[in-house]
Amino acid sequence: MDEYFERRRRMVEKLKEELNISDRVAEAMLKVPRHLFVPPEYRREAYNDYPLPIGYDQTISAPHMVAIMCELLDLKEGMKVLEIGTGSGYHAAVVAELVGKRGKVITVERIPELAKRAEKTLKELGYDNVIVVVGDGSEGYEKEAPYDRIYVTATAPDVPPPLIEQLKEGGKMVIPIGNFSQYLYLIEKKKGKIEKRNMGPVRFVPLIGKFGFKD
């Protein structure tokens, strides 16, 4: 484990240098063992800054993208957060560190096998403040709404209306939008209206679902 910690430390230091990420995000990423969220054959690559396959044509996002999204969300202790696209569960673990034990992360995954594996890893690592739900993420998860923050780890044709409805007044959402050309957007809900800011080009797998792309 010492070997992996040293690799993780170097990864975080690189992100601090290149992206000037905050101490809070850096500390959260230093705590989460990314190598335990990837298939065993990719563990040696876990702390390199690029996506890795996790099965079912899905990937674990590159560390720099996780850091960028966490910074844009401006996560605080005690917040309730909705994640769309659990994948391996890594991003949810980083967010769980940032919202703390008083906070809560609900994460929705459409592929049952990935959801089961992520839930197992998260529980084994003690992330009791993360709830994994199997379902259509493009519809959000109304049962726990409203949310202080929402983020989507797959690209959508547009912002799914249910996610706007489930976002608290004053809340923030980060979501990639587009098909061949994709851009990351920061969405803010102010007085019932939505403000969108383009944060630059990205590359994500498609969001499949009622308000996403068709399978």
Side-chain angles (χ1 to χ4, degrees), residues 82 84 108 135-142 160-163 165-166 207-212:
L82 176 65
I84 305 303
V108 184
D136 179 354
S138 74
E139 296 187 75
Y141 190 63
E142 193 173 6
L163 300 188
E165 291 164 15
Q166 292 169 29
L207 176 69
I208 306 297
K210 183 177 178 182
F211 296 97

Side-chain angles (χ1 to χ4, degrees), residues 119-180:
E119 185 173 44
K120 182 175 182 288
T121 306
L122 290 161
K123 291 299 178 194
E124 285 174 353
L125 292 170
Y127 290 105
D128 299 326
N129 57 341
V130 181
I131 297 170
V132 181
V133 177
V134 177
D136 179 354
S138 74
E139 296 187 75
Y141 190 63
E142 193 173 6
K143 185 179 176 182
E144 291 275 356
Y147 300 96
D148 298 294
R149 301 287 188 266
I150 297 175
Y151 66 101
V152 183
T153 65
T155 188
D158 203 346
V159 185
L163 300 188
I164 295 172
E165 291 164 15
Q166 292 169 29
L167 185 64
K168 265 186 188 178
E169 174 63 33
K172 295 181 181 181
M173 182 192 316
V174 174
I175 179 172
I177 295 173
N179 191 358
F180 300 108

Side-chain angles (χ1 to χ4, degrees), residues 1-207:
M1 294 302 287
D2 287 346
E3 174 200 352
Y4 285 117
F5 179 81
E6 181 55 28
R7 288 174 180 222
R8 186 157 69 251
R9 187 194 65 75
R10 286 201 302 266
M11 177 193 81
V12 172
E13 285 302 318
K14 190 167 180 241
L15 291 173
K16 286 175 78 172
E17 287 171 18
E18 294 179 356
L19 298 176
N20 196 29
I21 62 174
S22 65
D23 288 342
R24 285 193 77 237
V25 170
E27 286 165 14
M29 294 185 76
L30 191 59
K31 287 178 182 175
V32 182
R34 189 174 188 255
H35 63 281
L36 298 181
F37 289 90
V38 301
E41 61 268 29
Y42 292 109
R43 284 188 178 172
R44 303 286 296 180
E45 299 178 64
Y47 297 107
N48 295 336
D49 194 14
Y50 48 71
L52 289 168
I54 57 171
Y56 306 94
D57 295 322
Q58 304 299 300
T59 59
I60 180 174
S61 293
H64 75 270
M65 187 51 59
V66 173
I68 288 168
M69 292 177 81
C70 286
E71 291 288 1
L72 290 173
L73 287 167
D74 187 26
L75 297 155
K76 311 288 188 193
E77 290 265 346
M79 280 185 168
K80 185 193 285 186
V81 182
L82 176 65
E83 175 188 59
I84 305 303
T86 311
S88 69
Y90 172 72
H91 202 152
V94 175
V95 172
E97 291 284 355
L98 288 161
V99 300
K101 294 294 184 186
R102 293 187 301 109
K104 193 174 187 181
V105 181
I106 292 89
T107 177
V108 184
E109 173 57 56
R110 71 182 179 89
I111 301 168
E113 294 84 355
L114 285 181
K116 187 177 179 181
R117 188 193 305 162
E119 185 173 44
K120 182 175 182 288
T121 306
L122 290 161
K123 291 299 178 194
E124 285 174 353
L125 292 170
Y127 290 105
D128 299 326
N129 57 341
V130 181
I131 297 170
V132 181
V133 177
V134 177
D136 179 354
S138 74
E139 296 187 75
Y141 190 63
E142 193 173 6
K143 185 179 176 182
E144 291 275 356
Y147 300 96
D148 298 294
R149 301 287 188 266
I150 297 175
Y151 66 101
V152 183
T153 65
T155 188
D158 203 346
V159 185
L163 300 188
I164 295 172
E165 291 164 15
Q166 292 169 29
L167 185 64
K168 265 186 188 178
E169 174 63 33
K172 295 181 181 181
M173 182 192 316
V174 174
I175 179 172
I177 295 173
N179 191 358
F180 300 108
S181 296
Q182 303 175 12
Y183 295 91
L184 190 67
Y185 284 87
L186 173 62
I187 312 288
E188 294 190 66
K189 193 173 188 178
K190 295 180 178 178
K191 297 180 180 177
K193 294 186 178 179
I194 294 301
E195 293 182 4
K196 289 171 70 174
R197 286 172 58 199
N198 186 331
M199 307 309 294
V202 289
R203 174 57 55 188
F204 282 84
V205 297
L207 176 69

